[in-house]
Amino acid sequence: MIDYKYLAQKYDTPLYLYDFEKIENSFLSLKNAFKGRKSLIAYAVKANSNLSVLKHLASLGTGADCVSIGEVKRALLAGIPSYKIVFSGVGKRDEEIEEALKLDILYINLESEAELQRVEDIAAQLGKKARVSIRVNPNIDPKTHPYISTGLHENKFGVEIDTAKKMYLAAKKSNFLDPVGIHFHIGSQLTELEPIKEASAIVADLVRSLHKIDIEIKFFDIGGGLGIKYDNEETIKPYDYAQAILATLKGLDLTIVCEPGRYIVGDAGYFLTKVLYEKKSGDKRFIIVDGGMNDLLRPSLYNAYHKVEVIGKTGDETPADVVGPVCESGDFFAKNRPLPSTSPGDIIVVYSAGAYGFVMSSNYNTRPRPAEVALFKGSDRLIRKRETFEDIIKNEIELMDE
Ligand SMILES: *Cc1c(COP(=O)(O)O)cnc(C)c1O
């Protein structure tokens, strides 16, 4: 049991807690699901990029899926070797591509013909051969929230099959490109297996046709997206996930690269916030807390559901909204939830806050970002200091009076 009250007192609120054992267990369950096959679990750094989290994952042998050169640097700093790092994302600056090539990472995921050209030019300037993979958009509806759907032609990600073929041919001809991988990622918080299966089958067929023309793809990158339980949704079991993918790869000898983010860290995170007071507005009951949308954006951004609990309180439950102090009506953590009556100082836990939590935080309303604490082997350790007012303003330059 986690002593939320003690931790809230020791580190103050709002606060993020990460259970490192849970992170480890999630990683192992996925790694084991692909046992017997060559596989690389490349953790999607964007989900939670705290260096201590990355270091813990590095010690378990994970790779990293990065979407900026900053994330690549974080991964390296945490001890993830360059040959386990992939670089994805729909827009990469020249400097980022150059640095990725110099760092000799596993491969760069290309998302357009224009990008292929850019990477080829930069590799030529550096006299290097760039290992690349192409992100294919299989035009599959992942049946998730539209903001986190990425595998439809209407989304900005990847290229169509025909374009991909053209790109592979161009890459094969080039002296500066080495097409080693193929990639797809159809969305996030996936809870249905069927769309993943369909996408994988489409991409596997493309691999077969590429093999026929001597384009030897080695890495089959299935992206991330495995969903977790926020409420009572059914989720995909790692074993079923692996079996579904492997079934589409009959006769192909490929290394599977998987890029889970949320699945690894989501469940392992808790957001603690303190009750400031309650108020009524007509029939509506509000619990006002010291955490806000600047600390945990998911409810405001995606209307995402997170389980919440008032620690140590029982008794009659009546519907309430849990809202933050930020000056936006969208600043809420929970709506219309049966909750016991609260007093100032009570601690509320927001569950499943380990992924896309702190990393999406901001200083909106000049609010310092929260501290982060690791729970590891029975002890708690600060892994990121709470920001101060001075931290927030330190890069601002005052306009001088003339
Ligand atoms: C965001 C992203 C992931 C991770 O998604 P999760 O839903 O957190 O697993 C993996 N691969 C790519 C390319 C991404 O953009």
Side-chain angles (χ1 to χ4, degrees), residues 42 44 46-47 65 67 88-89 109 111 135 150 157 183 185 187-190 223-226 259-263 355-356:
K46 72 174 190 270
D65 171 46
V67 292
S88 313
N109 270 320
E111 300 221 17
R135 177 164 178 178
T150 55
F157 300 97
H183 176 226
H185 170 77
S188 197
Q189 185 54 16
L190 307 175
L226 265 191
E259 307 170 340
R262 189 189 313 271
Y263 180 80
Y356 308 104

Side-chain angles (χ1 to χ4, degrees), residues 157-229:
F157 300 97
V159 297
E160 293 175 64
I161 302 275
D162 288 342
T163 312
K165 277 186 190 158
K166 250 171 69 189
M167 287 168 70
Y168 276 111
L169 285 170
K172 184 178 159 60
K173 272 197 219 132
S174 167
N175 290 324
F176 304 104
L177 296 174
D178 185 10
V180 295
I182 197 157
H183 176 226
F184 65 96
H185 170 77
I186 59 171
S188 197
Q189 185 54 16
L190 307 175
T191 53
E192 289 185 40
L193 205 45
E194 204 49 43
I196 301 174
K197 240 191 219 168
E198 278 176 52
S200 184
I202 290 170
V203 179
D205 278 344
L206 178 55
V207 171
R208 289 188 184 92
S209 63
L210 293 171
H211 279 180
K212 275 189 202 128
I213 50 172
D214 285 334
I215 296 173
E216 284 302 323
I217 304 294
K218 297 185 200 76
F219 299 99
F220 192 76
D221 186 336
I222 62 177
L226 265 191
I228 61 167
K229 236 187 237 303

